[in-house]
Amino acid sequence: MMKWVDNLLNRVTMYRLILYYLIALLGVALLFAFAGLSDQDPYALLFSTGFLVGVCALTNWIFAQTFAAPPNVESTYISALILALIISPLESYQDLWFLGWAAILAMASKYIVAIKHKHLFNPVAFAVALTYFTINQSASWWVGNIQLLPFVLLGGILIVRKTQRFALVYSFFVSALVTLLAFGLLERDGAPAMVESFQRTVYYSPLFFFAFVILTEPLTMPPTRRTQIIYGALVGVVGAPQFHLGSFYPTPEVAILVGNLFAYIVSPKAKLILRLKERIQLSADVYDFIFAPTPRLAFAPGQYMEWTLGHADPDQRGNRRYFTLASAPTEDELRIGVKFYERSSSFKQALLTMEPEHEIVAAQLAGDFVLPANLQQHCVLIAGGIGITPYRSMIKYLLDTGQRRPITLIYACRTVDDFVYHGLFTQARRAWGLQTIYTVTDRSKVPAWWTGHVGYITPQLIKTAVPDYKECLFYISGPNRMVNAFRTVLRQLQVKNSQIKTDFFSGLA
């Protein structure tokens, strides 16, 4: 069952999954409204949703044209639908002012409330917080009700599984629960009152929707797992319904804005507009794209960024992708390695046809898939196909800085012609003893001259190549299915989970 779910999730990007989720929630809410099972007026809900989508789309297009930025259509629709789920449907035409103002502020915040092209606050939270202070109207968060709760949970769990933000969401819920209990004890409400308060929080508050959709918004969260846990805990405390400072009770949008400030402090500040310098074909279907950044980007080898490429008629995967940086911090250019398929997305088709000097936007530098601080730790780098790109960054950095680390690289590809960057790995083997093991997985494609391994990476191969495997730190990078398969292989060898790091980022599909 879970394998089927994962296969389904791999077919959509994170943004498209969230968009479908929001549409589904509004669809269910409409069904309940038409059936008379909720307090919502179905026609008012339809009109409010359409109005928000229209205003957001128009406003975003105006700002994108003004600032010469590629418009993120999915992001626009996502913001509009979130607003439709947290602002009560209009009761009179006077409410159009509130809806329109919230939509305009949400779009404007992405372009105006930004530092070095990087927006600071969650757009929806910023908008509904500002409407409260400017026109004294705020979001009701009506999505937090017992009727929608099963659907909020089901779709929300899929989002967290897709994005792998379990630690972030767990820290949020734990801190919110602890805060609820702590304030209950301080105010001496007694056990029955605390139980009732807990039930109200679970059944009738927007806590779950807030965690799954608002908290996990990628552009305004911290970049690493440790800082994400702190971020989740901070927002969980401030956003708990019982938390207050005197007579001031922070709303959910205020809680996320506080978290956004923390995230900005601990996050890289870069959002780069890059120009293509060179495109290099490495194999039949793998290309390196080299960009000259201004200014030079500071990052750790193995980290990734979100790449936005404006192009005509984007398909259902949209105009954004996550790619690991294949370049090292010691290089003057930024480099990504991209694999193309027979039916590649519109994004990849546009990328492949980019001409020199054409622009692409790179932002949201993040990732924990980096080498350990201990220079003596034996690391085993396992790559499948294009999953080799973070290792190119790491090994190039070690060569440039003169570091010597005990590293074994196990690299699997379908055919011999699919191996890339082997010249760099040969250079590292000669310079400081990088151990490299290549294996061809398609036995029917093995040439007569091949002297490397044949077949998939097995427990026996790892045992033979890495006798001290139980003391090693393993890195796995590649397609999700391959990563999961190799993780299973390592578990068969009784390698601890704490010794396994995987290269995962939410836009892989």
Side-chain angles (χ1 to χ4, degrees):
M1 177 64 177
M2 294 314 300
K3 187 175 293 186
W4 178 84
V5 170
D6 286 336
N7 288 337
L8 179 65
L9 293 179
N10 287 340
R11 295 175 184 175
V12 294
T13 64
M14 174 197 66
Y15 295 106
R16 187 52 58 105
L17 177 62
I18 294 174
L19 183 61
Y20 291 158
Y21 171 61
L22 297 173
I23 293 172
L25 285 181
L26 282 164
V28 172
L30 278 170
L31 288 176
F32 283 141
F34 277 114
L37 300 176
S38 74
D39 297 331
Q40 304 296 334
D41 180 334
Y43 299 104
L45 180 55
L46 275 172
F47 183 86
S48 296
T49 302
F51 181 77
L52 284 166
V53 169
V55 174
C56 282
L58 177 61
T59 305
N60 187 71
W61 180 83
I62 292 172
F63 277 111
Q65 295 298 313
T66 302
F67 288 88
N72 294 319
V73 178
E74 284 175 319
S75 177
T76 302
Y77 293 149
I78 287 170
S79 295
L81 297 182
I82 293 174
L83 288 171
L85 284 162
I86 67 174
I87 297 177
S88 296
L90 81 169
E91 296 179 358
S92 69
Y93 289 111
Q94 294 177 347
D95 293 334
L96 287 177
W97 170 245
F98 176 28
L99 292 175
W101 188 227
I104 292 170
L105 288 173
M107 297 301 101
S109 70
K110 301 179 183 183
Y111 299 91
I112 298 176
V113 189
I115 301 175
K116 294 183 179 179
H117 306 289
K118 177 181 172 62
H119 64 263
L120 182 58
F121 296 116
N122 179 287
V124 169
F126 178 82
V128 294
L130 204 56
T131 56
Y132 174 76
F133 291 110
T134 56
I135 60 175
N136 198 30
Q137 288 186 281
S138 61
S140 64
W141 293 86
W142 66 268
V143 68
N145 64 70
I146 194 169
Q147 294 164 320
L148 288 179
L149 181 59
F151 304 97
V152 169
L153 287 173
L154 178 61
I157 291 170
L158 292 178
I159 290 173
V160 176
R161 187 172 183 85
K162 170 70 176 178
T163 61
Q164 295 291 296
R165 303 300 185 198
F166 292 104
L168 166 64
V169 173
Y170 288 157
S171 69
F172 170 79
F173 283 132
V174 169
S175 63
L177 176 61
V178 170
T179 303
L180 184 155
L181 295 175
F183 273 87
L185 291 173
L186 288 173
E187 295 172 4
R188 300 179 181 178
D189 289 336
M194 289 177 61
V195 171
E196 182 183 353
S197 177
F198 177 79
Q199 290 176 334
R200 283 201 312 269
T201 300
V202 171
Y203 297 147
Y204 298 104
S205 83
L207 203 67
F208 291 104
F209 179 83
F210 180 83
F212 297 141
V213 176
I214 306 296
L215 183 72
T216 59
E217 200 270 328
L219 294 179
T220 52
M221 73 162 62
T224 64
R225 186 176 184 273
R226 182 179 66 84
T227 53
Q228 286 170 9
I229 290 173
I230 298 171
Y231 169 70
L234 172 63
V235 177
V237 170
V238 180
Q242 289 73 22
F243 177 82
H244 61 92
L245 297 172
S247 60
F248 175 64
Y249 285 79
T251 58
E253 56 268 23
V254 170
I256 201 67
L257 295 182
V258 171
N260 292 160
L261 287 174
F262 165 78
Y264 179 78
I265 292 170
V266 301
S267 299
K269 309 303 186 292
K271 182 174 183 180
L272 306 175
I273 299 175
L274 307 174
R275 294 182 183 273
L276 180 65
K277 182 177 180 181
E278 186 179 5
R279 179 178 61 244
I280 303 174
Q281 185 170 6
L282 303 179
S283 69
D285 52 11
V286 174
Y287 290 78
D288 261 4
F289 295 84
I290 302 172
F291 304 90
T294 304
R296 189 166 177 172
L297 179 68
F299 63 96
Q303 291 190 300
Y304 64 86
M305 298 186 77
E306 182 188 70
W307 301 75
T308 302
L309 178 60
H311 59 282
D313 301 321
D315 61 17
Q316 63 175 355
R317 293 185 178 185
N319 63 354
R320 290 185 281 187
R321 289 292 185 281
Y322 288 85
F323 293 116
T324 299
L325 293 169
S327 51
T330 47
E331 295 180 283
D332 292 330
E333 300 91 8
L334 288 184
R335 174 191 302 251
I336 56 174
V338 182
K339 182 178 177 66
F340 293 84
Y341 298 90
E342 185 177 346
R343 295 182 178 179
S344 288
S345 63
S346 63
F347 179 100
K348 285 192 175 181
Q349 292 174 22
L351 184 65
L352 188 59
T353 57
M354 281 185 72
E355 297 293 336
E357 299 302 311
H358 279 195
E359 292 183 347
I360 191 169
V361 178
Q364 198 191 338
L365 176 67
D368 295 296
F369 197 74
V370 297
L371 292 172
N374 181 5
L375 299 182
Q376 305 307 315
Q377 172 66 59
H378 186 179
C379 299
V380 180
L381 314 181
I382 300 176
I386 197 58
I388 195 65
T389 52
Y391 305 142
R392 194 265 177 202
S393 176
M394 294 174 184
I395 291 169
K396 175 62 174 171
Y397 177 77
L398 297 180
L399 277 169
D400 289 346
T401 58
Q403 282 191 35
R404 294 176 176 268
R405 288 177 179 260
I407 292 180
T408 300
L409 172 64
I410 304 177
Y411 186 10
C413 283
R414 183 170 174 268
T415 71
V416 172
D417 293 333
D418 292 330
F419 292 111
V420 296
Y421 306 131
H422 39 77
L424 178 70
F425 302 145
T426 299
Q427 184 182 352
R429 177 174 57 82
R430 292 170 179 168
W432 48 267
L434 171 69
Q435 183 183 4
T436 54
I437 298 167
Y438 297 91
T439 182
V440 177
T441 59
D442 189 340
R443 296 180 181 274
S444 66
K445 302 287 186 179
V446 180
W449 55 264
W450 178 250
T451 58
H453 290 268
V454 177
Y456 292 98
I457 298 173
T458 62
Q460 187 56 49
L461 173 59
I462 293 176
K463 280 184 177 181
T464 303
V466 192
D468 63 337
Y469 66 91
K470 288 192 175 181
E471 284 74 49
C472 292
L473 187 61
F474 285 86
Y475 292 71
I476 312 174
S477 176
N480 282 356
R481 186 178 300 177
M482 185 223 82
V483 170
N484 293 331
F486 286 166
R487 200 202 306 263
T488 300
V489 169
L490 294 178
R491 285 173 179 166
Q492 292 173 1
L493 292 172
Q494 299 182 332
V495 175
K496 299 176 182 177
N497 282 335
S498 59
Q499 294 173 246
I500 303 174
K501 295 174 73 73
T502 58
D503 189 22
F504 179 87
F505 36 91
S506 54
L508 188 62

